[in-house]
Short mmCIF file of all heavy atoms in Angstrom, two decimals:
data_model
loop_
_atom_site.label_atom_id
_atom_site.label_comp_id
_atom_site.label_asym_id
_atom_site.label_seq_id
_atom_site.Cartn_x
_atom_site.Cartn_y
_atom_site.Cartn_z
N LEU A 47 56.29 110.82 83.16
CA LEU A 47 56.17 109.36 83.18
C LEU A 47 56.16 108.83 84.60
O LEU A 47 55.37 107.91 84.94
CB LEU A 47 57.23 108.73 82.36
CG LEU A 47 57.16 108.96 80.84
CD1 LEU A 47 58.35 108.29 80.12
CD2 LEU A 47 55.88 108.39 80.24
N LEU A 48 57.07 109.36 85.45
CA LEU A 48 57.15 108.88 86.80
C LEU A 48 55.87 109.19 87.55
O LEU A 48 55.40 108.36 88.33
CB LEU A 48 58.35 109.56 87.49
CG LEU A 48 59.72 109.02 87.06
CD1 LEU A 48 60.84 109.83 87.74
CD2 LEU A 48 59.92 107.55 87.36
N ILE A 49 55.35 110.38 87.38
CA ILE A 49 54.06 110.76 88.05
C ILE A 49 52.96 109.88 87.56
O ILE A 49 52.09 109.41 88.34
CB ILE A 49 53.75 112.25 87.82
CG1 ILE A 49 54.82 113.13 88.46
CG2 ILE A 49 52.39 112.57 88.47
CD1 ILE A 49 54.67 114.61 88.20
N PHE A 50 52.95 109.64 86.22
CA PHE A 50 51.91 108.80 85.64
C PHE A 50 51.97 107.39 86.18
O PHE A 50 50.96 106.78 86.49
CB PHE A 50 52.06 108.80 84.13
CG PHE A 50 50.76 108.47 83.40
CD1 PHE A 50 49.64 109.22 83.55
CD2 PHE A 50 50.73 107.34 82.54
CE1 PHE A 50 48.47 108.91 82.88
CE2 PHE A 50 49.56 107.03 81.87
CZ PHE A 50 48.44 107.82 82.04
N CYS A 51 53.23 106.87 86.32
CA CYS A 51 53.42 105.56 86.93
C CYS A 51 52.87 105.49 88.35
O CYS A 51 52.20 104.53 88.72
CB CYS A 51 54.92 105.22 86.95
SG CYS A 51 55.59 104.70 85.36
N ALA A 52 53.16 106.52 89.11
CA ALA A 52 52.69 106.54 90.51
C ALA A 52 51.18 106.60 90.55
O ALA A 52 50.56 105.91 91.38
CB ALA A 52 53.24 107.77 91.18
N LEU A 53 50.58 107.38 89.63
CA LEU A 53 49.12 107.47 89.61
C LEU A 53 48.49 106.11 89.25
O LEU A 53 47.52 105.67 89.84
CB LEU A 53 48.71 108.50 88.58
CG LEU A 53 47.24 108.87 88.46
CD1 LEU A 53 46.76 109.41 89.82
CD2 LEU A 53 46.99 109.90 87.39
N ILE A 54 49.08 105.44 88.26
CA ILE A 54 48.59 104.11 87.83
C ILE A 54 48.74 103.12 88.98
O ILE A 54 47.84 102.34 89.29
CB ILE A 54 49.38 103.62 86.61
CG1 ILE A 54 49.05 104.48 85.38
CG2 ILE A 54 49.06 102.18 86.34
CD1 ILE A 54 49.94 104.23 84.23
N THR A 55 49.92 103.14 89.67
CA THR A 55 50.14 102.20 90.74
C THR A 55 49.12 102.43 91.88
O THR A 55 48.58 101.51 92.40
CB THR A 55 51.57 102.39 91.28
OG1 THR A 55 52.51 102.15 90.29
CG2 THR A 55 51.85 101.40 92.44
N GLN A 56 48.85 103.70 92.17
CA GLN A 56 47.88 104.02 93.18
C GLN A 56 46.49 103.44 92.82
O GLN A 56 45.81 102.90 93.64
CB GLN A 56 47.78 105.52 93.37
CG GLN A 56 46.74 105.97 94.38
CD GLN A 56 46.64 107.45 94.44
OE1 GLN A 56 47.42 108.18 93.83
NE2 GLN A 56 45.68 107.95 95.19
N GLN A 57 46.17 103.55 91.55
CA GLN A 57 44.86 103.03 91.12
C GLN A 57 44.85 101.51 91.16
O GLN A 57 43.87 100.90 91.54
CB GLN A 57 44.55 103.49 89.70
CG GLN A 57 44.33 105.01 89.61
CD GLN A 57 44.23 105.48 88.17
OE1 GLN A 57 44.60 104.74 87.27
NE2 GLN A 57 43.70 106.65 87.98
N CYS A 58 45.94 100.91 90.71
CA CYS A 58 45.99 99.45 90.57
C CYS A 58 45.92 98.75 91.91
O CYS A 58 45.39 97.62 92.01
CB CYS A 58 47.23 99.03 89.84
SG CYS A 58 47.17 99.40 88.12
N TYR A 59 46.46 99.35 92.95
CA TYR A 59 46.48 98.71 94.24
C TYR A 59 45.48 99.30 95.23
O TYR A 59 45.49 98.97 96.41
CB TYR A 59 47.90 98.72 94.79
CG TYR A 59 48.83 97.90 93.94
CD1 TYR A 59 49.61 98.47 92.97
CD2 TYR A 59 48.84 96.50 94.09
CE1 TYR A 59 50.45 97.70 92.16
CE2 TYR A 59 49.66 95.73 93.31
CZ TYR A 59 50.45 96.31 92.31
OH TYR A 59 51.26 95.56 91.53
N ALA A 60 44.61 100.17 94.71
CA ALA A 60 43.55 100.70 95.58
C ALA A 60 42.62 99.57 95.96
O ALA A 60 42.42 98.59 95.20
CB ALA A 60 42.78 101.80 94.82
N GLN A 61 42.02 99.65 97.12
CA GLN A 61 41.15 98.59 97.54
C GLN A 61 39.97 98.46 96.58
O GLN A 61 39.32 99.39 96.21
CB GLN A 61 40.61 98.86 98.98
CG GLN A 61 39.81 97.73 99.56
CD GLN A 61 39.38 98.03 100.97
OE1 GLN A 61 39.63 99.10 101.49
NE2 GLN A 61 38.78 97.06 101.64
N ASN A 62 39.69 97.23 96.25
CA ASN A 62 38.62 96.95 95.26
C ASN A 62 37.68 95.93 95.92
O ASN A 62 37.96 94.74 95.94
CB ASN A 62 39.20 96.37 93.99
CG ASN A 62 38.17 96.02 92.99
OD1 ASN A 62 37.03 96.47 93.11
ND2 ASN A 62 38.52 95.17 92.00
N THR A 63 36.58 96.41 96.49
CA THR A 63 35.67 95.55 97.26
C THR A 63 34.57 95.00 96.40
O THR A 63 33.76 94.17 96.85
CB THR A 63 35.08 96.34 98.42
OG1 THR A 63 34.37 97.45 97.88
CG2 THR A 63 36.17 96.84 99.36
N ASN A 64 34.45 95.46 95.14
CA ASN A 64 33.34 95.07 94.29
C ASN A 64 33.62 93.86 93.41
O ASN A 64 32.72 93.32 92.79
CB ASN A 64 32.88 96.24 93.42
CG ASN A 64 32.39 97.37 94.24
OD1 ASN A 64 31.50 97.21 95.04
ND2 ASN A 64 32.99 98.55 94.07
N ASN A 65 34.86 93.45 93.34
CA ASN A 65 35.25 92.36 92.44
C ASN A 65 36.04 91.29 93.19
O ASN A 65 36.70 91.59 94.17
CB ASN A 65 36.02 92.88 91.26
CG ASN A 65 35.23 93.92 90.43
OD1 ASN A 65 34.15 93.61 89.98
ND2 ASN A 65 35.75 95.14 90.35
N ASN A 66 36.06 90.11 92.66
CA ASN A 66 36.74 89.00 93.31
C ASN A 66 38.02 88.61 92.54
O ASN A 66 38.43 87.47 92.61
CB ASN A 66 35.80 87.76 93.43
CG ASN A 66 35.31 87.27 92.13
OD1 ASN A 66 35.63 87.84 91.07
ND2 ASN A 66 34.47 86.24 92.17
N TYR A 67 38.60 89.52 91.79
CA TYR A 67 39.85 89.24 91.10
C TYR A 67 40.90 90.23 91.61
O TYR A 67 40.59 91.33 92.11
CB TYR A 67 39.68 89.32 89.59
CG TYR A 67 39.17 90.64 89.03
CD1 TYR A 67 40.06 91.59 88.58
CD2 TYR A 67 37.83 90.95 88.95
CE1 TYR A 67 39.65 92.80 88.10
CE2 TYR A 67 37.36 92.15 88.44
CZ TYR A 67 38.28 93.08 88.00
OH TYR A 67 37.82 94.25 87.53
N PRO A 68 42.18 89.85 91.51
CA PRO A 68 43.22 90.74 92.05
C PRO A 68 43.24 92.09 91.47
O PRO A 68 42.92 92.27 90.33
CB PRO A 68 44.51 89.93 91.67
CG PRO A 68 44.08 88.54 91.46
CD PRO A 68 42.68 88.60 90.90
N ASP A 69 43.66 93.06 92.27
CA ASP A 69 43.66 94.42 91.83
C ASP A 69 44.58 94.68 90.62
O ASP A 69 44.29 95.51 89.77
CB ASP A 69 44.08 95.34 92.96
CG ASP A 69 43.03 95.38 94.07
OD1 ASP A 69 41.85 95.44 93.74
OD2 ASP A 69 43.41 95.42 95.26
N TYR A 70 45.68 93.88 90.52
CA TYR A 70 46.59 94.10 89.40
C TYR A 70 46.02 93.58 88.10
O TYR A 70 46.55 93.85 87.06
CB TYR A 70 47.94 93.44 89.69
CG TYR A 70 47.94 91.97 89.89
CD1 TYR A 70 47.75 91.07 88.86
CD2 TYR A 70 48.10 91.42 91.16
CE1 TYR A 70 47.76 89.68 89.07
CE2 TYR A 70 48.10 90.06 91.43
CZ TYR A 70 47.93 89.19 90.36
OH TYR A 70 47.91 87.84 90.58
N LEU A 71 44.87 92.95 88.15
CA LEU A 71 44.20 92.48 86.92
C LEU A 71 43.20 93.49 86.37
O LEU A 71 42.48 93.19 85.44
CB LEU A 71 43.47 91.13 87.17
CG LEU A 71 44.19 89.88 86.68
CD1 LEU A 71 43.37 88.63 87.05
CD2 LEU A 71 44.49 89.92 85.22
N GLN A 72 43.14 94.68 86.98
CA GLN A 72 42.24 95.71 86.48
C GLN A 72 42.68 96.02 85.03
O GLN A 72 43.82 96.38 84.78
CB GLN A 72 42.32 96.94 87.33
CG GLN A 72 41.76 96.78 88.75
CD GLN A 72 40.25 96.92 88.77
OE1 GLN A 72 39.64 97.11 87.78
NE2 GLN A 72 39.67 96.80 89.97
N PRO A 73 41.72 95.97 84.07
CA PRO A 73 42.10 96.24 82.65
C PRO A 73 42.75 97.54 82.37
O PRO A 73 43.60 97.67 81.53
CB PRO A 73 40.72 96.12 81.95
CG PRO A 73 39.91 95.21 82.80
CD PRO A 73 40.33 95.56 84.22
N ASP A 74 42.38 98.59 83.19
CA ASP A 74 42.94 99.90 82.87
C ASP A 74 44.44 99.96 83.19
O ASP A 74 45.16 100.86 82.67
CB ASP A 74 42.18 101.01 83.64
CG ASP A 74 42.35 100.98 85.11
OD1 ASP A 74 42.31 99.83 85.69
OD2 ASP A 74 42.54 101.99 85.76
N HIS A 75 44.98 99.06 84.01
CA HIS A 75 46.39 99.03 84.25
C HIS A 75 47.13 98.69 82.96
O HIS A 75 48.13 99.31 82.64
CB HIS A 75 46.70 97.97 85.34
CG HIS A 75 48.11 97.92 85.69
ND1 HIS A 75 48.97 98.99 85.63
CD2 HIS A 75 48.89 96.88 86.20
CE1 HIS A 75 50.20 98.64 86.05
NE2 HIS A 75 50.15 97.33 86.39
N ALA A 76 46.56 97.77 82.18
CA ALA A 76 47.19 97.39 80.91
C ALA A 76 47.02 98.54 79.90
O ALA A 76 48.02 98.84 79.18
CB ALA A 76 46.55 96.13 80.35
N VAL A 77 45.89 99.16 79.83
CA VAL A 77 45.68 100.29 78.94
C VAL A 77 46.57 101.44 79.27
O VAL A 77 47.17 102.10 78.36
CB VAL A 77 44.20 100.73 78.95
CG1 VAL A 77 43.97 102.00 78.12
CG2 VAL A 77 43.27 99.60 78.49
N ASN A 78 46.77 101.74 80.52
CA ASN A 78 47.63 102.80 80.91
C ASN A 78 49.12 102.52 80.54
O ASN A 78 49.89 103.43 80.19
CB ASN A 78 47.55 103.12 82.42
CG ASN A 78 46.25 103.78 82.80
OD1 ASN A 78 45.64 104.46 81.99
ND2 ASN A 78 45.79 103.58 84.02
N ALA A 79 49.48 101.26 80.59
CA ALA A 79 50.82 100.91 80.15
C ALA A 79 51.00 101.17 78.67
O ALA A 79 52.04 101.60 78.21
CB ALA A 79 51.09 99.42 80.48
N VAL A 80 49.95 100.88 77.89
CA VAL A 80 49.97 101.12 76.46
C VAL A 80 50.09 102.64 76.23
O VAL A 80 50.83 103.13 75.35
CB VAL A 80 48.70 100.58 75.78
CG1 VAL A 80 48.66 100.95 74.31
CG2 VAL A 80 48.65 99.05 75.95
N THR A 81 49.32 103.43 76.99
CA THR A 81 49.37 104.90 76.87
C THR A 81 50.78 105.43 77.09
O THR A 81 51.19 106.33 76.36
CB THR A 81 48.39 105.53 77.87
OG1 THR A 81 47.06 105.14 77.53
CG2 THR A 81 48.47 107.05 77.84
N MET A 82 51.50 104.88 78.02
CA MET A 82 52.86 105.39 78.30
C MET A 82 53.77 105.16 77.15
O MET A 82 54.64 106.00 76.85
CB MET A 82 53.36 104.72 79.56
CG MET A 82 52.63 105.19 80.84
SD MET A 82 53.28 104.44 82.34
CE MET A 82 54.92 105.11 82.36
N VAL A 83 53.64 104.04 76.48
CA VAL A 83 54.51 103.79 75.28
C VAL A 83 54.12 104.72 74.19
O VAL A 83 54.97 105.26 73.46
CB VAL A 83 54.42 102.35 74.86
CG1 VAL A 83 55.22 102.11 73.56
CG2 VAL A 83 54.91 101.39 75.95
N MET A 84 52.79 104.98 73.97
CA MET A 84 52.39 105.91 72.97
C MET A 84 52.82 107.36 73.29
O MET A 84 53.18 108.11 72.41
CB MET A 84 50.84 105.88 72.80
CG MET A 84 50.35 104.69 72.02
SD MET A 84 48.77 104.91 71.29
CE MET A 84 47.73 104.30 72.58
N LEU A 85 52.87 107.67 74.56
CA LEU A 85 53.41 108.96 75.01
C LEU A 85 54.89 109.07 74.60
O LEU A 85 55.36 110.10 74.07
CB LEU A 85 53.27 109.11 76.50
CG LEU A 85 53.63 110.42 77.18
CD1 LEU A 85 52.70 111.55 76.78
CD2 LEU A 85 53.64 110.27 78.72
N HIS A 86 55.60 108.01 74.79
CA HIS A 86 57.02 107.96 74.40
C HIS A 86 57.18 108.14 72.87
O HIS A 86 58.09 108.83 72.41
CB HIS A 86 57.62 106.64 74.86
CG HIS A 86 58.99 106.37 74.32
ND1 HIS A 86 59.20 105.79 73.07
CD2 HIS A 86 60.24 106.62 74.81
CE1 HIS A 86 60.49 105.66 72.86
NE2 HIS A 86 61.16 106.17 73.89
N ASP A 87 56.25 107.52 72.12
CA ASP A 87 56.40 107.51 70.68
C ASP A 87 55.81 108.77 70.02
O ASP A 87 55.88 108.93 68.80
CB ASP A 87 55.69 106.30 70.10
CG ASP A 87 56.47 105.01 70.31
OD1 ASP A 87 57.68 105.15 70.61
OD2 ASP A 87 55.91 103.90 70.15
N VAL A 88 55.17 109.65 70.79
CA VAL A 88 54.48 110.84 70.28
C VAL A 88 53.50 110.41 69.15
O VAL A 88 53.56 110.90 68.03
CB VAL A 88 55.49 111.89 69.71
CG1 VAL A 88 54.80 113.21 69.52
CG2 VAL A 88 56.64 112.09 70.70
#
């Protein structure tokens, strides 16, 4: 989970030059958060 968190954080705050919205608003950040809870729940 810690490694997955780090990977997600790296993706979320990577430079995003193609869009004009904040990096933390990337949809996959929310999906990855959902994945982590499903990982917990098996």
Side-chain angles (χ1 to χ4, degrees):
L47 291 177
L48 288 174
I49 297 174
F50 202 60
C51 283
L53 187 60
I54 291 169
T55 302
Q56 179 183 353
Q57 292 172 345
C58 287
Y59 293 97
Q61 186 176 6
N62 178 17
T63 59
N64 295 305
N65 300 301
N66 59 1
Y67 59 94
D69 292 319
Y70 60 75
L71 259 178
Q72 292 279 1
D74 67 317
H75 184 28
V77 174
N78 287 334
V80 175
T81 295
M82 290 181 66
V83 176
M84 284 201 269
L85 185 68
H86 170 274
D87 286 344
V88 194

